[in-house]
């Protein structure tokens, strides 16, 4: 395994060069974050990298201090122990230093939180309804058609060339480079609609509509999973999002409206 791979697995910053080009798809033995596909996830990844550097510096400092103390102040090297039990300057310093570090972390953290929460004007709205144990997708502004998205069993996934436990029979389809509003809710218990490459994780709570958004900047198929323990088959209700060109989306929409037509009544969404 190359150093570059090890470093990227640990979350250290590396360019998104050719070797990394396919990394935005999940792959076996992946340890780092999935490569970002949305502006939110790009910011999340950068923030994560900053934190890894800060954490590394703290670990090195603490380990260094610990080793110094072990060598300089063990009973052999230091046979007459000192009676010192207070050092005000030191206590002030080791109280203030963590406070300052936490403030340094909190500022970009809150900025990111507000960026995520500030949903831009949506081009497409989808509603993800969590069921035990599958997702129903509603397109409330497209006549309210809806369809269920169930996990493909192993043989079917293999046949369809989709990853095991992640591929679904009916992926949710959205256009590339558009603001997608996601409204989540639960039909029975709490679920959570999460797609790591989008930096999206939103609880789907019965009796409540939660809002989030994403803007995928490249076409492809992206996978996620229910991320709130919701019962026996919690691990088997994956999320598959196909990001396609505007034209392909329009074409899909036209046939989806026919295929998944409901009798004009929108069952969950009201807008
Ligand atoms: Cu679940």
């Amino acid at each position: 395994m190359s150093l570059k791979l090890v470093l990227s697995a640990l979350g250290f910053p590396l360019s998104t060069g050719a070797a990394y080009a396919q990394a935005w798809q999940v792959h076996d033995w992946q340890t780092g974050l999935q490569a970002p596909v949305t502006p939110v996830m790009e910011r999340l990844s950068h923030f994560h990298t900053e934190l890894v550097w800060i954490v590394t510096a703290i670990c090195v400092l603490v380990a260094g201090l610990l080793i110094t103390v072990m060598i300089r102040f063990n009973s052999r090297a230091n046979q007459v122990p000192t009676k010192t039990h207070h050092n005000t300057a030191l206590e002030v310093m080791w109280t203030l230093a963590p406070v300052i570090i936490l403030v340094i972390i909190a500022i970009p953290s809150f900025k990111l939180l507000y960026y995520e929460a500030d949903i831009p004007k949506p081009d497409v709205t989808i509603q993800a309804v969590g069921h035990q144990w599958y997702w129903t997708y509603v397109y409330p502004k497209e006549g309210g058609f809806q369809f269920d998205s169930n996990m493909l069993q192993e043989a079917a996934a293999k046949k369809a060339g989709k990853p095991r436990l992640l591929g679904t029979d009916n992926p949710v389809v959205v256009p590339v480079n558009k603001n997608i509003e996601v409204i989540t809710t639960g039909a029975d218990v709490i679920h959570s609609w999460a797609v790591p490459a989008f930096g999206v994780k939103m609880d789907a709570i019965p009796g409540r509509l939660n809002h989030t958004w994403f803007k995928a900047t490249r076409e492809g198929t992206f996978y996620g999973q229910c991320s709130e323990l919701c019962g026996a088959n919690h691990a088997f209700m994956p999320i598959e999002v196909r990001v396609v060109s505007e034209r392909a989306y329009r074409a899909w929409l036209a046939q989806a409206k026919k295929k998944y037509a409901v009798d004009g009544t929108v069952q969950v969404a009201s807008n």
Side-chain angles (χ1 to χ4, degrees), residues 94-124:
W94 72 37
T95 306
L96 275 183
V99 170
I100 292 167
I101 293 169
L102 287 176
V103 170
I104 290 171
I105 292 174
I107 292 169
S109 176
F110 273 98
K111 262 169 99 172
L112 184 51
L113 203 61
Y114 281 102
Y115 177 73
E116 266 184 85
D118 187 16
I119 301 176
K121 194 178 170 305
D123 299 304
V124 172

Side-chain angles (χ1 to χ4, degrees), residues 164-183:
R164 180 177 163 269
L165 302 182
L166 289 173
T168 65
D169 54 355
N170 293 316
V172 56
V173 179
V174 294
V176 70
N177 286 322
K178 298 278 179 191
N179 294 325
I180 316 294
E181 180 190 26
V182 186
I183 306 172

